[in-house]
Amino acid sequence: MDVFSVLTPGAYTTVQDEGRYGYQQMGIPVSGALDSFAFRVANMLVGNPVSCAVLEITVMGPRFEILSETDIAITGADMGMALNDQPVQGWKSIRVKPGDILGINQVKSGCRAYLAVTGGIDVPEVMGSRSTYVGGNIGGYYGRSLKQGDIIKRGKGLLLDKEQQLSSAVIPQYSSNIVIRAVPGPQDDFFDEGLRALFNSEFMVSAKADRMGYRLQGPVIKHREEVPKSIISEPSVPGGVQVPADGQPIILLVEQTVGGYTKIATVISTDLSRVAQATPGDTICFEQVTLETAHALYHDRQKLIKEMEEKHIIGIS
């Protein structure tokens, strides 16, 4: 069913879901929503399974004409949305009808917003996922970001009986000063002073920040003198913190499969959403945690998501 006509596409708007797994050995990255929390909540708010495809909207939002009655929800970054030129709230479901105009403006806080619709964004599955990998022209809407004139379809799904919103107690606040928790390694033995510098310094997000990774600017992270500056290329994972020869760290994200730089640390999975909401000029500090702490935080996040519908998503009469 046609649901949106793209009047303006925004800076970079793509279809994303949970990701494309099992093809990294072929050079196909995972892709998928960078902020997994906002992605899942958006789907919950419109009554979808959490795995349904959504639109990931970066920095500057699109403008759509609504083509069919549906429920929508926008989570993540605050972008100052309006429906028919009237302000609308994020983190809640909204009923829209044919002829309505939905406008999503420039980001006020955070970096990426997630737009879910009843039934999910309907594009063909490629290798088990609807996610867009623009670098390979794979998945999503013809393997690319949206353009003016595109017609977006939604899947089958039932409209809500009443509006829903997320409890304010669990809505993330996006600061420009971000603390990211990380576990040392896997090549932390290539560093000594460099490791201390990573966890005791402030770094700025550079302009080179995208879905592949975030390059940071700050104190030089020095390798030990007797070790090489690079390693034999090996599989990379989202959250790996690479240190190239110039000593400026790079946080890897979801569109990278291999890398030959040493990885001084790995950002814990629950904090990748914080990275996803950082914009150039924001500051990042790394906090060292143990693997056991990382596991405990992961389980706490999974428990929160499971409890979301019961405790934190509120029906509005």
Side-chain angles (χ1 to χ4, degrees), residues 98-116:
D100 286 348
I101 301 296
L102 176 67
I104 303 172
N105 300 317
Q106 186 169 350
V107 69
K108 297 178 179 178
S109 66
C111 181
R112 293 175 173 86
Y114 294 85
L115 172 57

Side-chain angles (χ1 to χ4, degrees), residues 51-228:
S51 59
C52 282
V54 305
L55 295 178
E56 181 179 85
I57 300 163
T58 305
V59 179
M60 174 71 75
R63 185 173 174 86
F64 298 134
E65 179 183 354
I66 308 301
L67 302 179
S68 60
E69 187 173 16
T70 190
D71 291 313
I72 65 169
I74 303 173
T75 61
D78 178 5
M79 292 189 173
M81 302 157 294
L83 183 65
N84 301 324
D85 294 324
Q86 297 300 312
V88 293
Q89 181 182 337
W91 301 93
K92 65 174 291 187
S93 65
I94 302 164
R95 179 69 51 84
V96 294
K97 297 179 179 180
D100 286 348
I101 301 296
L102 176 67
I104 303 172
N105 300 317
Q106 186 169 350
V107 69
K108 297 178 179 178
S109 66
C111 181
R112 293 175 173 86
Y114 294 85
L115 172 57
V117 301
T118 304
I121 301 296
D122 186 15
V123 294
E125 284 194 3
V126 178
M127 289 177 266
S129 171
R130 293 182 168 86
S131 286
T132 312
Y133 171 40
V134 172
N137 196 33
I138 292 170
Y141 193 88
Y142 297 103
R144 59 170 171 78
S145 59
L146 298 190
K147 295 181 179 180
Q148 184 177 8
D150 288 344
I151 301 297
I152 309 302
K153 297 180 181 293
R154 71 171 179 88
K156 294 180 179 178
L158 298 176
L159 298 180
L160 299 170
D161 293 330
K162 56 184 177 181
E163 291 183 352
Q164 300 189 118
Q165 68 180 24
L166 186 65
S167 167
S168 60
V170 292
I171 294 177
Q173 301 298 311
Y174 302 122
S175 171
S176 59
N177 301 300
I178 305 161
V179 176
I180 302 294
R181 294 164 291 191
V183 177
Q187 283 93 37
D188 52 311
D189 57 337
F190 281 53
F191 305 86
D192 43 36
E193 290 182 10
L195 192 66
R196 289 189 288 274
L198 181 78
F199 287 111
N200 290 280
S201 302
E202 184 177 270
F203 298 87
M204 186 181 74
V205 177
S206 75
K208 296 180 179 179
D210 56 24
R211 289 176 51 81
M212 286 185 66
Y214 273 44
R215 183 180 287 271
L216 308 181
Q217 296 176 340
V220 173
I221 304 299
K222 296 180 179 179
H223 293 74
R224 290 166 47 197
E225 290 186 3
E226 67 273 19
V227 301

Side-chain angles (χ1 to χ4, degrees), residues 40-54:
R40 291 185 178 192
V41 173
N43 272 317
M44 288 181 183
L45 286 168
V46 296
N48 288 343
V50 295
S51 59
C52 282
V54 305

